[in-house]
Amino acid sequence: LHALATLAEELGYVTAAELASGRAAGPAQLPHPTPPADAVLGLLRGGAPATRDSDSAPVHAVGDSVRARNFEFSGHTRLPRYLRGKTGTVVALRGTHVFPDTHAHDRGESPHPLYTVRFEAAELWGDNVARRDCVHVDLWETYLEPAA
């Protein structure tokens, strides 16, 4: 509930004073249309599909060697810091999905292709690991660049 209240405040749906008093703005005062209460309850319980159609082809293909970009992000990101600058192999294309980095801050869905990338444990943590260990991570296209 705290996370929802914080997000509602950040997006301008309520003010800190309204949250403290327990009185939120009415629908006419909100910056976005208010969904019906049953729709909100359904989203909270089950989520919503994040897949989207796209007219553009993915940049990477299964088998491509890619590197996770190594740059700073402001705000929300799903790119783990331990992967930045590391090289892996695309093992699957998962379609086009809502990009959480923009969507979490109410800057639009900005659909991006989503890939599953395999990173060898030695690439991530050095030689002091089991030889066959690896990590599979789902990463959006904007997080990746072709490996040199």
Side-chain angles (χ1 to χ4, degrees):
L1 288 175
H2 177 74
L4 286 174
T6 300
L7 184 59
E9 183 182 357
E10 287 176 357
L11 295 176
Y13 290 109
V14 296
T15 66
E18 289 170 328
L19 286 172
S21 72
R23 296 182 184 177
Q29 299 166 303
L30 295 175
H32 304 290
T34 306
D38 58 340
V40 172
L41 185 58
L43 284 173
L44 289 174
R45 287 190 174 150
T51 55
R52 299 294 184 264
D53 292 329
S54 175
D55 294 331
S56 59
V59 171
H60 308 290
V62 172
D64 284 358
S65 182
V66 293
R67 179 177 301 107
R69 294 181 185 268
N70 189 13
F71 55 89
E72 293 300 317
F73 293 92
S74 61
H76 178 85
T77 185
R78 295 276 176 102
L79 177 59
R81 188 168 297 280
Y82 72 91
L83 293 179
R84 297 180 192 179
K86 304 299 183 177
T87 301
T89 303
V90 174
V91 297
L93 175 60
R94 301 294 179 191
T96 301
H97 296 262
V98 171
F99 186 49
D101 293 30
T102 57
H103 194 253
H105 295 285
D106 206 28
R107 293 182 297 187
E109 292 186 347
S110 185
H112 283 56
L114 180 66
Y115 304 87
T116 299
V117 181
R118 176 189 170 115
F119 292 90
E120 300 301 325
E123 170 71 8
L124 300 177
W125 297 292
D127 293 331
N128 194 23
V129 295
R131 294 182 73 182
R132 294 172 32 149
D133 287 349
C134 65
V135 175
H136 289 86
V137 182
D138 289 339
L139 298 171
W140 276 263
E141 189 167 271
T142 198
Y143 296 160
L144 302 171
E145 60 190 6

